[in-house]
Amino acid sequence: MEITLKNNCRIITPLSPKLTERESQRLSEELINCYEDRTALDMSFVQDCTNEFIDEIRMHKGISLFNINSDVFAILTSMNLDKTLKLFVSEMDFLNDKHQLINRKFALV
């Protein structure tokens, strides 16, 4: 796990391709020790995640995600986590707090 600070924002990069219960516990320890206002996970190396990871990010409402794999993004939107988490395409979007990904789920009436 790699942690960087940019523009008073904390960026945590998990280096594991699958976020399991062990990585979720390590992430929880880092998020508890977080004192910055804005924290994000760089998901560029992550290909898959487990329920423990999803439960962990549900508990921390102020966390953002960017560089999300399409499979993980599909899981997050199907569980309606795009409504509670801030999802971004890139690190630049997160730092500028612009271009948030939102699944609108429009329907024809």
Side-chain angles (χ1 to χ4, degrees):
M1 188 173 303
E2 181 179 311
I3 301 170
T4 57
L5 295 174
K6 292 184 181 178
N7 299 341
N8 295 326
C9 298
R10 180 181 230 171
I11 299 174
I12 302 172
T13 306
L15 301 175
S16 174
K18 184 173 183 177
L19 295 177
T20 60
E21 183 177 3
R22 179 178 178 273
E23 285 82 15
S24 298
Q25 289 175 350
R26 289 184 64 210
L27 179 65
S28 174
E29 293 170 3
E30 290 299 326
L31 292 175
I32 288 172
N33 296 330
C34 177
Y35 299 109
E36 285 77 22
D37 291 335
R38 297 182 60 209
T39 303
L41 290 177
D42 181 0
M43 305 285 285
S44 56
F45 296 113
V46 178
Q47 302 296 320
D48 193 14
C49 61
T50 61
N51 287 335
E52 289 84 9
F53 171 73
I54 293 172
D55 292 338
E56 189 62 44
I57 61 172
R58 263 191 202 155
M59 288 176 25
H60 300 283
K61 301 281 184 197
I63 195 165
S64 302
L65 303 173
F66 63 89
N67 290 337
I68 307 167
N69 182 2
S70 61
D71 295 335
V72 177
F73 181 72
I75 292 170
L76 295 175
T77 55
S78 67
M79 297 179 80
N80 289 329
L81 289 177
D82 59 328
K83 307 297 187 251
T84 57
L85 299 172
K86 287 189 172 187
L87 307 177
F88 296 98
V89 174
S90 67
E91 180 179 347
M92 185 66 73
D93 291 340
F94 165 69
L95 293 175
N96 294 330
D97 200 15
K98 296 185 179 191
H99 308 294
Q100 184 177 346
L101 295 173
I102 299 173
N103 186 6
R104 301 274 186 208
K105 295 186 181 178
F106 290 116
L108 293 176
V109 180

